[in-house]
Amino acid sequence: MDEDSKGFNFLKLEKKWQNEWEKKGIFNVKEDSKKKKCYILEMYPYPSGSGLHMGHAFNYIIGDIYSRFKVMRGFNVLHPMGYDSFGLPAENAAIKEGVHPRKHTDQAIARFIEQQKSLGLSYDWSRKIQSHDEEYYKWNQFWFLQLFKKGLVYRKVSMVNWCPKCKTVLANEQVEKGNCWRHKDTKIELKSLEQWFIKTTQYAEELYNEIDSLDWPERIKAMQKNWIGKSEGVEINFKINGKDWPIFTTRPDTIYGVTFMVVSAQHPRLMDLVTKEQRKDVEELLAKIRSTSEKDLADLEKEGAFTGSYAVNPMNGEKVPVWAGNFVVADYGSGMVMAVPAHDQRDFEFAKKYNIPIKVVIRPKVKELKPDELKRAYVDEGVLVNSSKFNGLNSKDAINEIADYLEKNNLGKRVVNYKLRDWLISRQRYWGTPIPIVYCEKCGIVPVPEEELPVTLPDDVKFGEGNPLATNKEFFETKCPKCKGKARRETDTMDTFFDSSWYFLRFCDPTNKKEPFGKKKVDYWMPVDFYIGGAEHACMHLIYARFFTKALRDLGYVKINEPFVKLFNQGMIHGEDGAVMSKSRGNVIDPMEMVEKYGADSLRIFLVSIASPDKDFQWDSAGLESCFKFLKKVWTFFRDYKPGKTDEKMESKINSVIKSVTVDIENLRYNSVVVSLKSLFEFFEINKENVSRANVELFLKMLNVFCPHITQEIWFILGNKGFLAEEKWPEADESKINKAFEEAEKVLEKTIGDIQNILKMLSEKEEKIEKVYLYALPKEVEIYDKKIIERRIGKKVEVFAVNDKNKYDPEAKSTKAKPNKPGIYVE
Ligand SMILES: [Zn+2]
Ligand SMILES: [Zn+2]
């Protein structure tokens, strides 16, 4: 340890204060109607076996700074932490290593907690929750039963996404470009299975409409809107084999151009449409397209087969062939679409491929369109042709006119359609919440009575093929709650996104044994005021949690409409080579190693100093080193500190910093705050004799939210009792901010920048510079503080007034001086 850092044993002092905070429980909170509440939450992590990575640390530190700030601003702050501890990785690790998932998970959580504590995070640890605790997942089962009673949970046979690596089905939201969200190189297979679904679609409209009211990143809002996918259109009744088939379209203006229909190859009633002659063709198609998912429809090669059936167009009585196709989704609309090859590119490609006629019904105002000459579909606005009495109408107007006509003649109706699908929650895996359902031979599907909850997840199961829960006879074989006859339990478990859909509510009342939470407590704390996490949750967790909140509101459990008022996505940290940190690249920096080497305070301030926290940034060892040096300087300064007498300039500076820092933290411009605090500290160093005890304390309070340990230790050494974290945040006295001083400071900064540029240029030419001369207008001489400039540029400095008769000015640079811009000479 060098002389400067004498006594700066950061590891020891960090541990000491972490223990003190916990012992005194200073971050534990209760409802307090006298105080304004603020609920700050970082997405609760999946406790992976490898511990915290840098992205976790960044996420938590962003929330921690804001949380500490809000506490000092007088808010009653709830800042809890928990673990999304059910899930496949623990189960897979267990299979691989032979450790029980429970043991694996408990060990991983213990490690997470220890590491999180070492970052000095201000959590209310008394509120910790873990989704694999019986006391937690019992309420998952409770919600399942409430939703079931409300008709929001149902069971149905359908084509579902199956990941052969996960060995379980996945929700639509968990399929990315046709691949598994966990196994990005594994194609999803389609299977027909009977599964449990949650009716998220019942809330599609509200979920869609309320996005605009949220203070969320625009990008996430757009992703959700797109995922929910609202479209307004018309449902038109086509007749097939004498039966009505309502089909949905947003383009009724093209109805006279329909030359065929396409039914989804996954449609459960497809075979009803297939004639004997066409059976072989259709079956061949089905065999070919086993792996299709909604998300990669756009890139897919369009394939189809004629079913042998014809549909009757209600507008003109025309009969058009019905094809089965791989690009129509089974549960979008009615699973069938009308095809207008002249005006839809996808239909156009399909018609060309299978030699189906093309009929033009819209053309540009000035040009005729001939079907044979079309190179691609004409999708723009235009004038209607070949459309009977609608000929000559502008296509945009025709949408309404034709919709009106259809409604008037009972041939169809206006409807709103959504892309959002119901949420498939069954999983054929072990490490999750057992679904509280019993199957009885006599009574059928019977929900487990509430008073019998929880249905406990048994420890003793065999992993391998099939559902592990089916290997535990004691669990599997049960009695029917209704008739007491022989019955079997559901052996699927719930998607773990179920757990994370309401955990933020449980944090309000985490130890309640009688109910999922006390309503009063939730009314006090909710909604979450500030929610921080990664952008990858845009279309999964964040939709499910919004759905849950709305459903629970309608069940009478909460009063709010939306769970997260403000959402913040932190940026990604890239390795020093510029690439995303990953083990295979070998560019991963372990946060715990950095804490060991530089201390948590250095890491905390470094992570938020490089860029605005919502921006990606590149790891920079030198930057961390320099934050460490800064803290060492702070330590040394206060070790030798003797109270001085503040003056007007010092008061102006400190109040202006308080003012800007307060606004900047509120707006998460943490990097600007770090600049301001460093500049204030430098001002202290230069004007040592003017640093009063009160000034020191103001500085420590502000730096505390970034570096809570070192500031607390200095606070203590200065003879203060209690915790800085419980002090009040400084208020700026704006009357003390002197505009002239501020202006002068800006001019000085600008001048230092100019000098640095000159020095840089000259050093590139390898010219040695010893001294810098400045020539200022007489009344500006005071601005150019020699001490400050020398310190910053590391050279000797001389400042003259331009009218000084004795000045040294060999090149008459004093004649170049202008207001706020001195002449500069170097040699
Ligand atoms: Zn998978
Ligand atoms: Zn029964």
Side-chain angles (χ1 to χ4, degrees):
M1 193 170 296
D2 56 48
E3 178 59 25
D4 273 356
S5 57
K6 205 162 80 188
F8 183 35
N9 186 337
F10 53 85
L11 285 179
K12 198 170 144 200
L13 74 87
E14 287 184 354
K15 188 105 244 124
K16 166 179 147 193
W17 290 109
Q18 285 156 13
N19 289 338
E20 281 295 304
W21 297 329
E22 194 168 357
K23 213 165 71 194
K24 302 271 161 57
I26 64 166
F27 300 114
N28 296 1
V29 287
K30 281 203 214 84
E31 301 68 47
D32 179 351
S33 56
K34 287 196 247 32
K35 272 182 163 177
K36 207 164 175 253
K37 70 93 185 179
C38 186
Y39 186 175
I40 298 162
L41 186 62
E42 296 110 50
M43 289 179 184
Y44 79 155
Y46 174 77
S48 88
S50 49
L52 295 191
H53 56 64
M54 198 59 83
H56 286 124
F58 188 37
N59 182 198
Y60 308 144
I61 288 165
I62 293 169
D64 194 61
I65 290 169
Y66 194 70
S67 175
R68 287 174 175 272
F69 171 70
K70 284 296 200 184
V71 170
M72 292 177 81
R73 295 276 280 169
F75 285 81
N76 196 26
V77 173
L78 174 57
H79 187 215
M81 180 42 65
Y83 302 93
D84 190 9
S85 47
F86 267 142
L88 250 188
E91 189 169 340
N92 289 341
I95 294 166
K96 217 167 133 195
E97 296 156 30
V99 197
H100 194 275
R102 185 179 309 282
K103 196 171 168 204
H104 178 92
T105 303
D106 288 342
Q107 284 171 346
I109 290 178
R111 185 152 171 228
F112 254 67
I113 293 177
E114 195 194 314
Q115 297 186 339
Q116 286 173 316
K117 284 185 177 167
S118 77
L119 289 171
L121 303 170
S122 60
Y123 293 129
D124 176 352
W125 285 108
S126 72
R127 289 178 186 254
K128 181 189 76 169
I129 57 179
Q130 332 182 112
S131 26
H132 75 296
D133 273 348
E134 209 172 277
E135 276 308 316
Y136 185 79
Y137 71 69
K138 167 182 175 175
W139 302 112
N140 282 343
Q141 296 170 341
F142 175 82
W143 294 132
F144 181 94
L145 295 177
Q146 307 312 310
L147 296 173
F148 184 78
K149 268 194 261 177
K150 254 278 184 173
L152 284 168
V153 170
Y154 66 96
R155 193 165 164 78
K156 79 162 180 196
V157 182
S158 73
M159 290 296 226
V160 292
N161 307 302
W162 172 271
C163 171
K165 277 205 187 134
C166 291
K167 290 194 164 60
T168 179
V169 301
L170 301 175
N172 274 320
E173 287 79 4
Q174 295 162 352
V175 180
E176 294 174 0
K177 296 198 177 108
N179 296 338
C180 170
W181 66 299
R182 265 193 216 98
H183 304 106
K184 310 226 184 239
D185 54 352
T186 304
K187 267 241 161 271
I188 291 304
E189 294 169 6
L190 286 171
K191 276 196 176 184
S192 176
L193 283 177
E194 189 172 348
Q195 302 279 283
W196 288 102
F197 288 85
I198 295 189
K199 239 187 222 167
T200 42
T201 52
Q202 187 151 322
Y203 288 85
E205 188 175 351
E206 199 189 333
L207 286 168
Y208 186 91
N209 291 339
E210 271 178 22
I211 292 175
D212 287 328
S213 71
L214 300 171
D215 182 6
W216 286 18
E218 288 306 321
R219 181 170 61 121
I220 302 288
K221 294 210 265 190
M223 281 164 83
Q224 271 210 7
K225 275 196 160 175
N226 187 40
W227 183 254
I228 299 168
K230 180 180 183 172
S231 51
E232 286 168 23
V234 188
E235 207 175 75
I236 305 176
N237 296 323
F238 279 72
K239 271 208 168 34
I240 303 173
N241 305 335
K243 277 188 211 136
D244 268 349
W245 274 75
I247 65 96
F248 176 79
T249 178
T250 57
R251 294 291 307 273
D253 53 324
T254 62
I255 187 152
Y256 286 91
V258 175
T259 55
F260 62 105
M261 311 290 283
V262 187
V263 61
S264 168
Q266 293 127 33
H267 200 288
R269 279 163 59 204
L270 168 65
M271 280 307 169
D272 299 350
L273 298 174
V274 181
T275 58
K276 234 200 280 166
E277 296 75 36
Q278 288 305 115
R279 202 168 196 109
K280 214 177 128 234
D281 281 8
V282 173
E283 273 168 1
E284 266 170 26
L285 170 76
L286 295 183
K288 226 177 187 178
I289 54 163
R290 295 220 24 222
S291 58
T292 314
S293 85
E294 192 167 337
K295 279 191 188 165
D296 59 358
L297 291 179
D299 331 312
L300 211 74
E301 170 75 10
K302 277 89 196 154
E303 306 240 24
F306 178 43
T307 61
S309 289
Y310 290 85
V312 180
N313 186 333
M315 291 298 273
N316 54 11
E318 245 171 57
K319 273 176 112 182
V320 294
V322 178
W323 285 66
N326 64 345
F327 59 91
V328 176
V329 182
D331 44 5
Y332 181 72
S334 60
M336 189 185 296
V337 297
M338 64 183 215
V340 190
H343 306 294
D344 179 289
Q345 186 58 25
R346 193 180 62 181
D347 298 346
F348 181 80
E349 286 165 25
F350 193 88
K352 282 279 178 203
K353 181 168 179 176
Y354 293 103
N355 268 321
I356 304 172
I358 295 174
K359 189 175 159 195
V360 171
V361 289
I362 297 171
R363 66 167 176 81
K365 278 208 176 85
V366 291
K367 202 178 137 212
E368 194 117 351
L369 288 185
K370 291 204 179 103
D372 306 341
E373 290 165 12
L374 280 183
K375 294 259 172 340
R376 48 182 301 118
Y378 178 75
V379 296
D380 297 333
E381 248 181 75
V383 180
L384 260 64
V385 290
N386 300 323
S387 299
S388 174
K389 60 174 166 288
F390 300 99
N391 281 343
L393 271 180
N394 178 288
S395 58
K396 216 172 168 187
D397 302 330
I399 292 180
N400 262 323
E401 299 261 338
I402 294 179
D404 281 347
Y405 179 87
L406 287 162
E407 284 192 325
K408 231 182 268 157
N409 293 284
N410 259 336
L411 300 170
K413 58 172 193 259
R414 284 186 169 84
V415 291
V416 176
N417 215 327
Y418 294 93
K419 262 196 328 203
L420 183 74
R421 302 276 77 97
D422 282 341
W423 173 18
L424 163 60
I425 58 153
S426 304
R427 294 292 178 275
Q428 290 71 47
R429 300 295 302 232
Y430 164 71
W431 196 230
T433 304
I435 294 176
I437 288 287
V438 163
Y439 300 98
C440 169
E441 278 164 28
K442 265 196 252 160
C443 319
I445 294 176
V446 184
V448 174
E450 268 168 42
E451 57 276 13
E452 283 176 27
L453 298 183
V455 176
T456 304
L457 186 70
D459 277 340
D460 187 17
V461 294
K462 286 188 193 67
F463 299 104
E465 285 309 301
N467 282 14
L469 281 180
T471 66
N472 184 309
K473 244 184 155 186
E474 223 175 294
F475 174 86
F476 176 63
E477 290 177 359
T478 187
K479 271 188 191 147
C480 169
K482 256 193 201 160
C483 71
K484 308 290 168 209
K486 238 177 99 177
R488 59 182 176 86
R489 278 192 197 284
E490 171 66 83
T491 55
D492 283 353
T493 54
M494 295 181 198
D495 181 3
T496 56
F497 278 96
F498 197 102
D499 314 359
S500 53
S501 291
W502 72 281
Y503 78 106
F504 44 88
L505 296 167
R506 181 70 178 173
F507 274 137
C508 301
D509 192 9
T511 53
N512 196 327
K513 286 197 172 3
K514 292 200 199 89
E515 43 187 356
F517 46 75
K519 287 182 195 167
K520 275 197 180 143
K521 295 190 175 195
V522 161
D523 287 346
Y524 176 78
W525 287 117
M526 287 299 290
V528 175
D529 298 278
F530 186 47
Y531 196 34
I532 312 156
E536 68 275 16
H537 294 286
C539 297
M540 292 193 270
H541 164 60
L542 290 169
I543 286 187
Y544 299 141
R546 293 183 63 219
F547 159 80
F548 236 86
T549 304
K550 292 172 190 304
L552 261 44
R553 174 201 62 201
D554 292 346
L555 286 163
Y557 285 90
V558 301
K559 289 184 182 147
I560 46 164
N561 295 319
E562 288 286 341
F564 315 122
V565 177
K566 185 182 171 74
L567 175 74
F568 186 84
N569 296 135
Q570 78 265 20
M572 293 257 285
I573 308 174
H574 295 240
E576 227 147 4
D577 56 358
V580 175
M581 281 193 191
S582 76
K583 267 191 202 148
S584 58
R585 279 187 168 267
N587 63 351
V588 174
I589 308 269
D590 175 8
M592 291 306 119
E593 265 174 40
M594 296 301 112
V595 168
E596 286 281 314
K597 201 164 163 199
Y598 299 105
D601 283 342
S602 297
L603 180 65
R604 289 171 62 110
I605 195 167
F606 163 70
L607 282 175
V608 296
S609 65
I610 300 184
S612 168
D614 59 337
K615 299 277 183 303
D616 293 358
F617 72 90
Q618 194 172 328
W619 184 262
D620 169 28
S621 300
L624 176 56
E625 183 84 30
S626 109
C627 286
F628 178 65
K629 280 191 186 139
F630 166 68
L631 292 185
K632 234 161 57 173
K633 271 201 285 182
V634 170
W635 176 263
T636 312
F637 183 89
F638 291 109
R639 188 195 57 198
D640 305 331
Y641 169 73
K642 293 201 180 55
K645 202 168 167 291
T646 187
D647 66 357
E648 212 190 330
K649 245 185 176 165
M650 178 64 75
E651 288 299 307
S652 174
K653 173 75 181 173
I654 201 155
N655 281 291
S656 120
V657 167
I658 292 172
K659 188 181 163 195
S660 68
V661 162
T662 306
V663 177
D664 285 339
I665 297 186
E666 190 59 68
N667 293 292
L668 299 156
R669 292 190 295 261
Y670 292 166
N671 50 334
S672 307
V673 179
V674 175
V675 171
S676 302
L677 291 178
K678 282 186 172 168
S679 118
L680 177 59
F681 179 69
E682 187 179 42
F683 200 81
F684 279 8
E685 284 186 300
I686 294 164
N687 304 285
K688 245 182 188 158
E689 59 286 352
N690 300 116
V691 184
S692 72
R693 174 69 183 252
N695 295 338
V696 168
E697 297 192 348
L698 291 171
F699 171 73
L700 289 176
K701 285 176 189 173
M702 289 188 280
L703 185 61
N704 176 254
V705 299
F706 292 84
C707 307
H709 309 91
I710 183 175
T711 46
Q712 174 64 45
E713 178 72 11
I714 295 169
W715 179 257
F716 175 73
I717 292 172
L718 290 175
N720 290 296
K721 298 240 157 29
F723 297 100
L724 254 182
E726 292 182 320
E727 289 292 314
K728 270 181 93 167
W729 184 258
E731 291 283 342
D733 181 347
E734 295 200 28
S735 70
K736 289 190 173 158
I737 302 174
N738 183 320
K739 285 271 167 333
F741 290 154
E742 283 203 314
E743 208 40 57
E745 206 186 322
K746 267 190 216 146
V747 170
L748 178 62
E749 277 307 316
K750 170 85 178 44
T751 304
I752 290 172
D754 290 346
I755 299 170
Q756 281 167 336
N757 282 338
I758 293 171
L759 294 177
K760 201 177 150 216
M761 245 161 52
L762 293 175
S763 91
E764 277 159 12
K765 290 189 201 155
E766 300 196 11
E767 285 188 39
K768 271 229 156 44
I769 299 303
E770 305 266 319
K771 204 163 170 184
V772 176
Y773 298 86
L774 296 183
Y775 311 96
L777 299 183
K779 56 177 187 196
E780 288 183 3
V781 172
E782 278 208 2
I783 296 177
Y784 307 103
D785 188 316
K786 190 174 133 165
K787 274 189 296 177
I788 298 182
I789 304 174
E790 284 185 343
R791 212 183 129 91
R792 293 279 293 278
I793 65 171
K795 307 263 182 237
K796 280 249 174 290
V797 173
E798 208 67 67
V799 182
F800 294 107
V802 287
N803 59 356
D804 184 340
K805 289 205 178 78
N806 300 318
K807 63 181 180 293
Y808 173 72
D809 186 11
E811 291 184 5
K813 293 282 189 194
S814 59
T815 59
K816 305 264 186 206
K818 285 181 197 138
N820 292 336
K821 203 169 167 54
I824 302 171
Y825 172 68
V826 298
E827 65 173 30

